[in-house]
Amino acid sequence: MTSKRQCNGDRRKSEQRKALVDTTATEKRCASRREYNRRANLLGLPNFLWETIPRPAVAWFSPYVPFELILAAGVFPFRMMPIPSAIGRSYNCMHHDICPYVLNCLDTIVAHAGYLDGVVIDTNCDAMRRMYDAVRIYTKIPFVHILDVPRVVDGLRLQYFKEQLQELAQSLEKHFKVDLSHEVLQSAIKFCNTTRRFLAELSDRRKNGNFTVSGSEVQNTVKRSMDTPLAQFNEKLERFLESSSNRRSISESGPRVAIVGGYFDQEFMTDAIEDYGGSVVYEQVSNGAIHFDYLVDENKEPFLALSERYLNKIPTARMVNNDKGYESLIKGIKEYQASGVIFYSLKFCDQNLIYYADLKRKLTKANMPVLFLESDMVSDNLGQIKTRIQTFLDMLV
Amino acid sequence: MITAGVDIGSVSTETVILDRDNKVLAYNILHTGAYSTRIGRLSVLKALKMCGLKINDVGCIISTGYGRANVVNAKKNVSEITCLAKGVNFIYPGAMTILDIGGQDSKAIGLGENGEVIDFAMNDKCAAGTGRFLEVMAGVLGVKIDSLGSFSLHAQRVVNISSICTVFAESEVISLIHEGVPPEDIAKALHDAITTRALSLLGKVGIKEPVVFTGGVAKNIGMVKAIKNRLGLKVIVPEEPQILCAIGAALIARQLVTQHIDVMPDKIATR
């Protein structure tokens, strides 16, 4: 009798456990993660590895550096996209309450100085200028150049920036002992324009309600365009665009979100948006539309054409007048049919924080919901950020 | 068919069971501890036991809170802000603003006329101005956390604590103790410091009357008094301020059941 009761009790317990522990969901999650990893690397390019980068290599840090000049000098240009980690040696070189992107870049530069033949730093913000000082003082990188970028766009500044670019070209010629002729520069410009066209075409596949590529795929591909030799990248992306014109639409009916801000390298945020049923359809960030929108005029004198393209493209928060940035955001929201905006800023980024106040006022007036997210790239409170994203998506439904 | 809402927070876990008329059949509040999956399961089973029901009687479970992804048999997880808004609107229709101070979060939520979330703000990633802050300070003052609020009501004079950073405030409190400031006065100063922080959070979403004050910290009489005094508006404190989020989750579960949406657990969104 006792044993029968015990047996029934055990069976009940086992049924309860079975009802409570459903492993299917976990399995599905893992499968979806594997699927995401496979999909995000659209072009199947190998990961960036310091040990295998083509030499000589020169790093750049902001969307105001015309990397066409570096490419024309026969040097491999790549954007520094540090893997966020606990800040180490850069805390010895700079104060702590400063842009985490700059701190991470400096850490990476110090750790991999042996693989770097040069850096081109621009006067994007004060943190960048401090990084220029720190790189000069604390590292032995052979080529360290600072490029002064105006904050206002007019005829005088366009001419000034053109002269700055000519100065950079001369420094590159002198250091790498090359002749940077107009023909070579024209050809580099054409090459980079091709990359921009391909990236824009890829991003456009999310336009007008279409969705044949996901936000994480586009973001990853744009990143790869910045740290892969362009010949290899262009060939791969062109092949993908040709072969995937009939790619089936990724089923999505959730809210479509645009991301605005500075440097955006927070894959987990895009993952969270996609996991919670939303999708990222437009990125007006320095490694998004700001990088590939607007082409360099191939018919003009190359230095003037570069000066015009880089000062007239979608502005970042550093520029005095950001009306053009707002206009292109509104255009992007309409074309990509976004129903909400996530503004992303790095901690201590005064420029973006000031820009946000103005942008929020304008977007609220236009009845466009905005979510502000801030990150120090390293020790983010993932739980809180996920809560904010999930609630925001709920609000948009 | 009954529905359940499970709210796994950083400090406490709550489960609410609602019957088909949305009446609360049972609820419990447990300490979360280090194993949120286990506590979620335990909390559901305990609540069911309280009303003499079994897991198979539950039509749908919705999970929320920090550990929302760990309730394995939930139909889906919903953010605590959405659930809280739902729960507050159900109990207090017409509420316009929610202030929620929990174990490691403080939130201000602006509600629309139909109880929908129209704006929200959360504290930064540190635990300044949350229940954890009060816990640490109660330890420094040698007072039990449950009686810190009533203890602060005996304050005689106003003392200022300039920092709400848990680390810096602890140093300030220790300095004040050594200056001979009575602990009651220090306790009140701590509540005032959190209130200042909470008001700035509320300012971000806009304060509209009536304000509902929820979360574990709303059980602290000293905090309630400080918030009421500083706001000067109608502040409602629920009888059990910790379970409104779980009520909201159970109500969302009810919606799914009513809409005949497949309520079998099939997808948990977060990793």
Side-chain angles (χ1 to χ4, degrees):
Chain A
M1 186 69 188
T2 316
S3 122
K4 196 178 175 187
R5 196 179 298 151
Q6 206 170 13
C7 186
N8 283 341
D10 285 351
R11 197 184 307 138
R12 260 202 311 277
K13 274 183 191 168
S14 153
E15 277 170 8
Q16 271 185 348
R17 260 201 303 275
K18 206 175 165 189
L20 282 168
V21 181
D22 177 13
T23 52
T24 330
T26 317
E27 281 165 11
K28 278 186 184 173
R29 272 208 309 282
C30 292
S32 121
R33 185 69 213 164
R34 280 195 295 274
E35 175 74 358
Y36 163 78
N37 280 336
R38 197 179 61 75
R39 293 180 66 99
N41 191 359
L42 272 187
L43 310 183
L45 286 163
N47 288 333
F48 177 86
L49 279 177
W50 283 99
E51 292 76 11
T52 56
I53 59 168
R55 301 290 292 271
V58 166
W60 53 280
F61 304 86
S62 107
Y64 284 94
V65 175
F67 53 93
E68 288 91 338
L69 289 171
I70 305 171
L71 187 67
V75 177
F76 170 55
F78 68 101
R79 180 163 187 179
M80 185 71 80
M81 290 180 285
I83 296 165
S85 58
I87 304 298
R89 289 170 68 181
S90 56
Y91 271 167
N92 300 339
C93 316
M94 297 172 92
H95 69 86
H96 298 191
D97 300 337
I98 204 164
C99 170
Y101 171 67
V102 163
L103 285 174
N104 271 288
C105 281
L106 187 57
D107 248 20
T108 311
I109 293 170
V110 172
H112 299 94
Y115 296 104
L116 272 170
D117 298 287
V119 291
V120 177
I121 300 168
D122 62 322
T123 54
N124 182 63
C125 58
D126 189 52
M128 285 280 184
R129 277 185 282 203
R130 300 289 79 82
M131 180 165 75
Y132 169 69
D133 294 337
V135 172
R136 260 187 325 129
I137 296 165
Y138 296 106
T139 72
K140 288 179 182 167
I141 290 174
F143 180 77
V144 184
H145 187 93
I146 188 152
L147 178 73
D148 192 20
V149 187
R151 286 173 189 272
V152 176
V153 186
D154 58 18
L156 200 65
R157 267 71 166 211
L158 282 168
Q159 181 60 31
Y160 172 76
F161 192 50
K162 179 188 159 189
E163 286 164 15
Q164 283 290 305
L165 298 183
Q166 284 168 331
E167 203 179 289
L168 169 62
Q170 282 164 11
S171 303
L172 285 164
E173 280 181 322
K174 197 175 156 194
H175 183 83
F176 292 101
K177 296 182 178 56
V178 288
D179 179 27
L180 224 156
S181 67
H182 274 199
E183 289 72 35
V184 177
L185 190 49
Q186 293 278 21
S187 135
I189 287 172
K190 277 185 186 165
F191 213 68
C192 296
N193 271 351
T194 306
T195 311
R196 289 192 185 102
R197 271 192 213 101
F198 287 159
L199 288 174
E201 193 182 331
L202 182 74
S203 180
D204 285 356
R205 293 195 174 179
R206 299 171 294 175
K207 256 185 183 176
N208 303 323
N210 292 323
F211 203 71
T212 54
V213 285
S214 69
S216 46
E217 286 172 332
V218 174
Q219 287 162 24
N220 200 343
T221 308
V222 175
K223 271 174 68 181
R224 302 323 312 274
S225 77
M226 296 173 169
D227 66 8
T228 310
L230 280 185
Q232 190 188 357
F233 179 84
N234 283 358
E235 190 198 326
K236 289 255 185 189
L237 184 52
E238 187 178 19
R239 207 181 303 154
F240 172 80
L241 290 170
E242 280 170 4
S243 65
S244 62
S245 51
N246 294 325
R247 203 181 192 213
R248 69 184 167 82
S249 189
I250 298 166
S251 67
E252 57 97 29
S253 52
R256 295 164 69 94
V257 172
I259 294 179
V260 193
Y263 174 69
F264 180 76
D265 193 15
Q266 300 295 309
E267 285 173 9
F268 81 90
M269 288 188 191
T270 311
D271 291 355
I273 294 166
E274 290 174 354
D275 283 348
Y276 286 128
S279 50
V280 180
V281 290
Y282 179 65
E283 301 90 359
Q284 191 171 300
V285 294
S286 79
N287 46 343
I290 292 175
H291 173 68
F292 59 76
D293 233 354
Y294 287 82
L295 302 178
V296 182
D297 191 335
E298 294 171 15
N299 301 316
K300 278 190 177 170
E301 192 279 322
F303 286 102
L304 178 66
L306 284 172
S307 172
E308 284 179 350
R309 188 268 163 185
Y310 278 86
L311 289 186
N312 283 325
K313 68 181 171 62
I314 303 172
T316 64
R318 72 178 295 278
M319 301 304 269
V320 171
N321 188 342
N322 247 309
D323 290 348
K324 195 173 178 179
Y326 177 71
E327 283 160 20
S328 69
L329 174 62
I330 292 296
K331 189 169 163 253
I333 286 170
K334 276 186 190 153
E335 287 179 353
Y336 289 83
Q337 296 184 346
S339 54
V341 170
I342 292 183
F343 189 95
Y344 171 78
S345 173
L346 287 167
K347 204 95 182 163
F348 309 118
C349 180
D350 298 344
Q351 295 174 162
N352 266 310
L353 294 173
I354 291 166
Y355 176 48
Y356 171 68
D358 184 42
L359 189 69
K360 186 178 182 187
R361 190 175 45 78
K362 286 178 176 165
L363 288 173
T364 309
K365 210 171 166 184
N367 283 328
M368 178 55 61
V370 196
L371 173 70
F372 176 77
L373 293 178
E374 196 179 37
S375 156
D376 64 3
M377 290 179 77
V378 184
S379 54
D380 288 318
N381 188 343
L382 304 185
Q384 248 201 16
I385 288 177
K386 281 182 174 179
T387 299
R388 289 175 207 215
I389 289 174
Q390 195 179 15
T391 311
F392 185 64
L393 295 177
D394 285 346
M395 280 167 65
L396 298 181
V397 172
Chain B
M1 197 168 255
I2 62 164
T3 59
V6 189
D7 173 15
I8 304 187
S10 63
V11 174
S12 63
T13 294
E14 296 87 17
T15 293
V16 169
I17 310 283
L18 293 183
D19 70 6
R20 61 172 67 241
D21 300 320
N22 290 336
K23 281 185 186 147
V24 177
L25 284 179
Y27 75 87
N28 62 37
I29 302 171
L30 304 177
H31 183 71
T32 300
Y35 303 99
S36 56
T37 308
R38 192 186 297 169
I39 199 71
R41 191 161 58 221
L42 187 70
S43 179
V44 173
L45 290 179
K46 276 199 167 189
L48 286 170
K49 198 176 175 186
M50 284 163 77
C51 47
L53 293 166
K54 290 176 188 163
I55 188 75
N56 294 334
D57 300 324
V58 185
C60 177
I61 298 177
I62 294 290
S63 60
T64 184
Y66 264 73
R68 60 187 179 277
N70 300 329
V71 181
V72 282
N73 59 333
K75 165 65 185 168
K76 68 173 191 173
N77 69 63
V78 179
S79 89
E80 52 266 43
I81 297 173
T82 307
C83 287
L84 187 56
K86 196 96 186 158
V88 166
N89 182 253
F90 178 69
I91 307 284
Y92 304 106
M96 298 305 283
T97 313
I98 304 171
L99 172 65
D100 179 82
I101 307 185
Q104 69 174 30
D105 260 357
S106 46
K107 312 177 193 79
I109 307 167
L111 300 178
E113 283 175 7
N114 300 316
E116 73 278 14
V117 179
I118 52 170
D119 202 359
F120 65 93
M122 287 174 85
N123 65 322
D124 216 341
K125 67 181 178 187
C126 77
T130 65
R132 183 73 70 201
F133 172 86
L134 283 177
E135 256 180 28
V136 173
M137 297 308 147
V140 177
L141 291 173
V143 181
K144 281 189 177 171
I145 182 69
D146 297 341
S147 51
L148 186 69
S150 49
F151 184 69
S152 73
L153 298 181
H154 301 294
Q156 297 294 319
R157 64 188 180 105
V158 177
V159 177
N160 275 325
I161 287 178
S162 55
S163 180
I164 43 142
C165 162
T166 312
V167 178
F168 291 130
E170 189 174 351
S171 310
E172 270 192 77
V173 168
I174 292 168
S175 304
L176 290 170
I177 290 171
H178 292 297
E179 281 171 26
V181 177
E184 294 87 345
D185 294 352
I186 301 174
K188 184 174 181 302
L190 290 166
H191 290 101
D192 288 342
I194 295 186
T195 306
T196 306
R197 174 91 169 191
L199 291 189
S200 101
L201 211 55
L202 282 169
K204 285 184 186 173
V205 298
I207 309 169
K208 283 186 190 165
E209 225 174 350
V211 179
V212 179
F213 183 18
T214 63
V217 175
K219 285 183 167 176
N220 176 318
I221 183 75
M223 270 308 301
V224 173
K225 203 178 163 197
I227 294 277
K228 280 185 176 174
N229 285 349
R230 289 282 290 280
L231 267 182
L233 299 172
K234 187 182 176 190
V235 178
I236 302 166
V237 182
E239 200 178 320
E240 183 44 84
Q242 279 179 283
I243 62 165
L244 274 88
C245 200
I247 291 178
L251 287 167
I252 292 170
R254 165 70 50 216
Q255 270 179 348
L256 296 188
V257 171
T258 314
Q259 291 163 4
H260 302 293
I261 291 173
D262 174 22
V263 288
M264 290 301 288
D266 60 355
K267 180 186 168 191
I268 295 174
T270 56
R271 275 161 278 122

